[in-house]
Amino acid sequence: MSHPTPGRPLSQTDRTRHQRLREQGSLDRSDLDAILKAGFVCHLGVTVDSNLLVIPTVYGTDGATLYFHGSVASRSLVASPDASVCVTVTHVDGLVLARSVFEHGVNYRSAMIFGIPRLVTDPEEKWTGLRCLTEQATPGQWDYARQPSRKELAATSLLALSLDEASVKIRSGAPDDGDTSDAERGLWAGVLPLQAHWGDLEPDPALSAHIKTPPHLANRQGVSAFGS
Amino acid sequence: MSHPTPGRPLSQTDRTRHQRLREQGSLDRSDLDAILKAGFVCHLGVTVDSNLLVIPTVYGTDGATLYFHGSVASRSLVASPDASVCVTVTHVDGLVLARSVFEHGVNYRSAMIFGIPRLVTDPEEKWTGLRCLTEQATPGQWDYARQPSRKELAATSLLALSLDEASVKIRSGAPDDGDTSDAERGLWAGVLPLQAHWGDLEPDPALSAHIKTPPHLANRQGVSAFGS
């Protein structure tokens, strides 16, 4: 398990240098951590059999490594073990409604991570990585549900991607055309926030009526998601 | 502007054939339309200077074509005009909490579109495409805000991707282990839904107090987003 320095600023490489929107780039590792910890679904870009695929998949992070399921990506890993992937996590926070269409945009927090994923084969790391992945989506669930059997572990492929090379972009706040001549047009401008929250639990219809809802799930109802 | 047949089922190709989760695949074009219409941010996979990038970007669709801004992708287009991209749109609907960790999953709707994007150069299509993109995120805003000037149009690159080759995956409903021996463990199982809605408008601090909120924005407050 790799342990790069979590306190270190993000390094710049050709692909993480922000060419378009420099003002929205962040080299602060705490921004990367916060974005990754706030979510649980990433978009994995990988080349499989010469086809570029962008696959939504569940992930977890311990601050130094991103863990994700590898069914599709591991096919690619076998075919070309030195192939880079790009994993992107995005939280959409709202619509930026400017006076002009041209200045419209989106408030968001996004992280792109680059690297060559590693198939996790060490049993201890696989256990820890799967726990990390499960706990990130649903804290408390790893110890509540039945944990993986030896057979299930063998049927699961887990990939690890170091957080060494990453790019963070954040946009927040009001539109940028408040001090232009467009501001004299008398048009409303501002932000329409997008908010996410966890809804009311929906019990499996197959569930016996006497089974109680555990607190770690009951307490999550109505709680906001993605740090929005 | 391409006009493939919107009523036709989605065709299968090597990269759209569902290899992992066949039961979750859909060949129904109306599912593709619904997923694309429900969102406004996609993840664009593109190779730029030999680097695979997954970029979150705004899109719009008219049912036959996906339009998206092309600042980064158009660099790639110039470098390799026959390069395929993969555009993925994902809506996360909830956590599937099974009795066993192994059966945990996510309820989601996702569409992947494959193809070679086309730089839109025809002035009329560019206007229509930008309007489509703006209206998809914020219906009513194109006619309310100041529309693009000739100079702004020239500074905007718009890409068009045909919806001919696409893959749709949907998972919904309860966990799958209600009829296994794990169901006898007395554990709660079901779905924790994830819901998104538009919040209260946040006026630009630079806004004059006398400017009224237009109905197309005021009416959107509290409305659910992404069809969740």
Side-chain angles (χ1 to χ4, degrees):
Chain A
M1 197 160 148
S2 62
H3 283 287
T5 47
R8 206 190 49 182
L10 303 174
S11 61
Q12 283 202 341
T13 65
D14 277 349
R15 51 190 175 186
T16 66
R17 196 160 288 118
H18 304 108
Q19 301 193 1
R20 272 185 72 203
L21 303 165
R22 192 176 294 271
E23 77 282 6
Q24 299 179 7
S26 164
L27 291 175
D28 191 340
R29 184 161 283 271
S30 64
D31 285 335
L32 174 65
D33 289 343
I35 290 169
L36 295 184
K37 295 251 163 78
F40 60 94
V41 170
C42 62
H43 280 83
L44 163 69
V46 63
T47 303
V48 179
D49 303 334
S50 306
N51 289 317
L52 198 166
L53 304 178
V54 177
I55 304 161
T57 192
V58 170
Y59 73 90
T61 179
D62 63 3
T65 303
L66 190 99
Y67 290 104
F68 57 98
H69 283 303
S71 310
V72 173
S74 55
R75 274 202 294 148
S76 157
L77 266 183
V78 171
S80 49
D82 58 350
S84 280
V85 303
C86 174
V87 171
T88 299
V89 174
T90 306
H91 309 300
V92 178
D93 293 326
L95 294 167
V96 181
L97 304 164
R99 287 84 179 167
S100 69
V101 163
F102 189 74
E103 292 289 342
H104 275 56
V106 171
N107 280 343
Y108 68 100
R109 293 159 286 147
S110 182
M112 295 166 74
I113 301 132
F114 302 94
I116 299 170
R118 174 174 56 83
L119 191 63
V120 177
T121 52
D122 177 72
E124 198 180 326
E125 185 184 1
K126 197 164 179 178
W127 190 261
T128 313
L130 285 172
R131 182 192 173 103
C132 167
L133 196 145
T134 304
E135 283 291 298
Q136 177 138 353
T138 318
Q141 193 68 0
W142 180 267
D143 286 329
Y144 177 77
R146 178 176 66 72
Q147 293 173 5
S149 67
R150 195 181 292 260
K151 193 176 164 189
E152 288 170 344
L153 274 182
T156 306
S157 60
L158 184 72
L159 294 175
L161 184 63
S162 158
L163 297 180
D164 275 343
E165 191 184 353
S167 168
V168 169
K169 284 186 192 171
I170 297 170
R171 203 242 176 256
S172 61
D176 292 326
D177 61 354
D179 59 355
T180 69
S181 59
D182 284 329
E184 294 155 25
R185 291 175 176 265
L187 296 169
W188 191 92
V191 169
L192 179 60
L194 183 65
Q195 290 160 352
H197 68 275
W198 299 103
D200 291 339
L201 287 164
E202 298 168 354
D204 186 340
L207 207 64
S208 302
H210 72 275
I211 297 178
K212 286 193 180 158
T213 315
H216 73 282
L217 298 179
N219 295 341
R220 212 168 180 202
Q221 298 174 105
V223 171
S224 72
F226 307 135
S228 67
Chain B
M1 195 162 152
S2 63
H3 283 287
T5 46
R8 204 190 49 182
L10 302 174
S11 60
Q12 284 202 340
T13 65
D14 277 349
R15 53 190 173 185
T16 67
R17 197 161 287 118
H18 305 106
Q19 301 193 0
R20 271 187 73 205
L21 302 165
R22 192 177 294 272
E23 75 285 5
Q24 298 178 7
S26 165
L27 292 175
D28 190 340
R29 182 162 282 272
S30 65
D31 285 334
L32 174 66
D33 289 343
I35 290 168
L36 296 183
K37 294 251 163 78
F40 60 94
V41 169
C42 61
H43 280 83
L44 163 69
V46 64
T47 303
V48 180
D49 303 333
S50 305
N51 290 316
L52 198 167
L53 304 178
V54 176
I55 305 161
T57 190
V58 170
Y59 73 89
T61 178
D62 63 4
T65 304
L66 191 101
Y67 290 103
F68 58 97
H69 283 303
S71 311
V72 173
S74 56
R75 272 202 294 147
S76 156
L77 267 183
V78 171
S80 48
D82 59 351
S84 280
V85 303
C86 175
V87 171
T88 300
V89 173
T90 307
H91 309 300
V92 178
D93 293 326
L95 294 168
V96 181
L97 305 164
R99 285 85 178 166
S100 70
V101 164
F102 189 73
E103 291 289 342
H104 274 57
V106 172
N107 279 343
Y108 68 100
R109 293 160 286 148
S110 181
M112 296 167 74
I113 301 131
F114 302 94
I116 299 169
R118 173 174 57 82
L119 192 62
V120 178
T121 52
D122 176 72
E124 199 179 325
E125 185 185 2
K126 195 163 182 179
W127 189 261
T128 313
L130 286 171
R131 182 192 173 104
C132 168
L133 196 146
T134 305
E135 285 290 298
Q136 177 138 353
T138 319
Q141 194 67 359
W142 179 267
D143 285 331
Y144 178 77
R146 177 176 67 70
Q147 292 173 6
S149 67
R150 193 180 295 257
K151 194 176 163 187
E152 288 169 344
L153 273 183
T156 306
S157 61
L158 185 72
L159 294 176
L161 184 63
S162 159
L163 298 180
D164 276 343
E165 191 184 353
S167 168
V168 168
K169 285 186 193 170
I170 298 170
R171 204 240 175 257
S172 61
D176 292 326
D177 60 356
D179 58 356
T180 68
S181 60
D182 284 330
E184 295 155 24
R185 292 174 174 265
L187 295 169
W188 192 92
V191 169
L192 180 60
L194 183 65
Q195 291 161 350
H197 68 274
W198 298 103
D200 291 339
L201 287 164
E202 297 169 355
D204 186 340
L207 207 66
S208 303
H210 72 276
I211 296 178
K212 287 194 179 155
T213 315
H216 74 282
L217 297 180
N219 294 342
R220 212 167 180 203
Q221 298 173 106
V223 172
S224 71
F226 306 135
S228 68

